[in-house]
Amino acid sequence: AFWSVAVAFALGRMAVAVLAAHLVPLLSERGYSRTLTATIAGAIGVLQLVGRVFFTGLTSSSTLIWLSSATFAVHGLGVLALALGGNAGIWVFLVLYGTTNGAITLTRAALLAELFPPSVYGRVNGAVSLSVAVSSASMPFVAGVLHTYSGNYDLTLWLLTAALAVSSLVILGARASSAR
C-alpha cells in the first residue's frame, strides 16, 4: 500500500508542480491574452475549494481508493484538455484541473489515515511527502528542459497526462496491498 500511494502521489504531483511554474508561459505561448492567462491561473485557486467540498461529499458514497483513482483520472483529463488546446479546452482544463487540484490534498490525508494505523501515520506521511517533494522540486526543471529542446509544451502536457493516468491506476494497488 505504501509504494502504491508514494508512487501515485509523486506522479500526480508532477502536473501540479509543472503547471504552477509553467502555466503562464504555456498559455502565453499558445496566444492567450495576459488577462485570460491571469484569470485562468487565479481561478484554479478558487476551484480548489469547490473540489474539496465536492470530494468531502463523495467520501460517504465511495471508497477512498476509488475516489483517489477518479481524482487522478479527472485531473489527467483536465491536462489532456489543455494539451488538445482550443478555447473549449482551456475552460475544460480549468474546471477539471482546478477542482481536482483541491481534492488531491484531501485525498492523500484521508487515504493514508484509512490505510495505515495512527502509530505509523506520521512516518508514512513523511515518507510519501519526500517522494512528492522530489517530484515537485525536479519536474518544473525537467519541463523547462523539454520545452527548450522541443520548442513548445506539447510533449510536457502529454507526459503529464500519461503520469496522471498511471497514478490513477497505481493507486488502485493500494487496495490490494492493504487487503493482504
Side-chain angles (χ1 to χ4, degrees), residues 31-54:
Y32 293 103
S33 70
R34 288 183 213 165
T35 302
L36 181 59
T37 298
T39 300
I40 296 295
I44 289 171
V46 173
L47 285 171
Q48 287 179 26
L49 296 174
V50 173
R52 288 177 179 150
V53 169
F54 190 67

Side-chain angles (χ1 to χ4, degrees), residues 9 51-53 55-56 64 101-111:
F9 281 94
R52 288 177 179 150
V53 169
F55 175 84
T56 301
L64 287 172
N101 206 32
I104 286 174
T105 305
L106 299 180
T107 302
R108 186 170 119 197
L111 188 59

